[in-house]
Amino acid sequence: MTAVFPGSFDPITSGHMDVLTRASRMFDQVTMTVMHNARKQGKNLFTLEERLHILRAATAHLPNVSVDSFSGLLVDYVAQLNAPPYKAVIIRGLRAVSDFEYELQIAHLNRQIGEAETVFIMAATRWSFVSSSMVKEIASYGGDISEMVPRVSADALKTKFAEAYAERAVNQG
Ligand code: PNS
């Protein structure tokens, strides 16, 4: 059975990696698809190409995981991947109860408009406070994000915020 793990992935975090790794053991094939989140319009740090590059590098060790992008409705993308008798499912990670209301709404809408099923995977508690936006904020001040993201994301963040990291290193002597 095929699963689609959609998201902004700006950039991919250790929480995403945890959910992805566990999904890759449950499904024959998992496609990580970078999609547009209208709520994050103009807020992405990395370009689409950069995010795809980071995702490919971070997931290269998982043989049944592929990386893609799509601009449009998630249900249309999922429909393209359906292989009868199975329907592809959507994977979403849940960190805490605070994620649930938003995710529940989207899952219901995706079932209503495209009969798409969503499977939730709870991220390990160690990642429950990690989000791409918090990681970007910490990195923008040159803080240590090495535990919270895969190595390739950390390197990309350090390149983006090179000045902040250099300045913090000087201040810390
Ligand atoms: O990582 P994110 O930003 O929480 O991912 C949200 C995403 C990109 C999966 C969601 O915004 C989405 O599905 N976008 C595609 C457009 C769509 O289908 N919208 C209807 C459901 S909100």
Side-chain angles (χ1 to χ4, degrees):
M1 195 169 194
T2 295
V4 176
F5 185 4
S8 305
F9 304 120
D10 185 49
I12 184 169
T13 65
S14 300
H16 292 132
M17 286 302 295
D18 174 46
V19 169
L20 172 68
T21 305
R22 286 158 53 204
S24 74
R25 295 184 196 128
M26 286 183 244
F27 296 93
D28 300 317
Q29 177 70 36
V30 182
T31 305
M32 298 205 80
T33 308
V34 181
M35 301 201 67
H36 180 66
N37 183 340
R39 287 165 200 77
K40 298 179 181 170
Q41 182 89 34
K43 288 186 187 163
N44 288 321
L45 175 66
F46 295 100
T47 65
L48 174 62
E49 282 313 313
E50 288 170 329
R51 283 180 277 161
L52 288 170
H53 172 79
I54 294 168
L55 278 179
R56 286 194 190 104
T59 62
H61 63 290
L62 297 168
N64 62 336
V65 172
S66 56
V67 171
D68 197 7
S69 65
F70 186 73
S71 62
L73 281 177
L74 176 55
V75 290
D76 291 339
Y77 182 80
V78 172
Q80 287 175 17
L81 297 186
N82 283 339
Y86 300 117
K87 283 194 155 205
V89 299
I90 298 165
I91 301 281
R92 290 289 285 173
L94 288 177
R95 287 165 300 189
V97 180
S98 49
D99 283 338
F100 187 69
E101 201 172 335
Y102 168 69
E103 294 295 340
L104 183 74
Q105 182 184 16
I106 295 183
H108 279 310
L109 286 172
N110 283 333
R111 215 155 80 82
Q112 189 166 325
I113 63 174
E115 294 179 11
E117 295 288 356
T118 301
V119 173
F120 291 110
I121 296 180
M122 315 320 151
T125 48
R126 116 173 243 233
W127 309 123
S128 55
F129 300 103
V130 173
S131 67
S132 297
S133 50
M134 289 301 171
V135 164
K136 283 182 282 190
E137 183 166 340
I138 296 167
S140 73
Y141 294 104
D144 181 9
I145 39 78
S146 53
E147 282 278 297
M148 299 172 208
V149 291
R151 177 73 184 268
V152 62
S153 294
D155 289 346
L157 285 161
K158 283 177 185 165
T159 303
K160 281 276 180 199
F161 295 117
E163 273 183 32
Y165 278 96
E167 200 176 308
R168 195 148 183 267
V170 168
N171 291 340
Q172 289 182 333

